[in-house]
């Protein structure tokens, strides 16, 4: 019985941290689902508003693949820009947090210069993740735009 720890606070803190982490992962998953639905809705509205234009392109010879590529390319550009802006905002927030920590926290052993790491691959991952999610959200509207009947779209716009 000599090897049984008498103080279980470290284990209790570990369980608490695991629970908080699980809750944060759940919140992040819900945010991603809501973001995907917003992206899909935005592109659905874009396709509906540009239906006559899409019909004209189709009547002038644009293929269904051209319409898919156009909308998915638009999603790629929007997602890339949003991912870059989001990563830059995270980097700025990290710099601000580091500055506040340097000002507010006392010196302690092994105090790091920064609490955050931004390796080059993380920037690519952030931009790629945002681009991929934007393209995934735009996939359904892109398929709908590709199926647009030119005659029907042009007759409704007149």
């Amino acid at each position: 019985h000599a090897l049984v720890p008498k103080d279980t606070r470290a284990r209790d803190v570990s369980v608490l941290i695991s629970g908080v982490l699980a809750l944060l992962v759940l919140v992040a998953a819900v945010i991603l689902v809501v973001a995907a639905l917003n992206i899909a809705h935005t592109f659905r509205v874009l396709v509906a508003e540009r239906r006559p234009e899409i019909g004209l392109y189709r009547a002038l010879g644009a293929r269904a693949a051209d319409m898919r590529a156009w909308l998915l390319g638009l999603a790629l550009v929007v997602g890339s820009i949003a991912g870059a802006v989001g990563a830059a905002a995270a980097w700025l927030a990290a710099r601000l947090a580091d500055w506040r920590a340097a000002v507010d926290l006392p010196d302690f052993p092994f105090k790091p210069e920064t609490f955050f790491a931004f390796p080059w691959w993380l920037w690519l991952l952030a931009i790629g993740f945002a681009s991929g999610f934007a393209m995934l959200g735009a996939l359904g509207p892109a398929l709908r735009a590709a199926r647009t009947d030119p005659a029907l779209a042009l007759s409704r716009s007149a």
Side-chain angles (χ1 to χ4, degrees), residues 30-123:
V30 169
I31 288 171
L32 285 175
V33 168
V34 169
L37 292 173
N38 277 336
I39 291 166
H41 177 70
T42 300
F43 279 99
R44 193 173 298 120
V45 169
L46 177 81
V47 168
E49 287 179 352
R50 291 189 147 186
R51 190 173 171 91
E53 181 182 340
I54 293 168
L56 181 61
Y57 286 146
R58 295 278 297 165
L60 293 175
R63 298 171 300 157
D66 295 330
M67 292 294 98
R68 280 192 304 272
W70 164 71
L71 201 59
L72 291 175
L74 180 62
L76 178 65
V77 169
V78 169
S80 297
I81 291 171
V85 168
W91 182 81
L92 286 173
R95 298 286 78 83
L96 178 66
D98 281 339
W99 173 73
R100 290 304 306 169
V103 170
D104 294 341
L105 292 178
D107 285 334
F108 54 87
F110 307 109
K111 183 178 178 182
E113 286 185 31
T114 182
F115 291 98
F116 305 94
F118 284 91
W120 64 270
W121 56 265
L122 188 60
W123 292 87

Side-chain angles (χ1 to χ4, degrees), residues 39-40 43 71-72 75 133-143:
I39 291 166
F43 279 99
L71 201 59
L72 291 175
F133 244 83
M135 290 178 67
L136 184 65
L139 185 60
L143 295 174

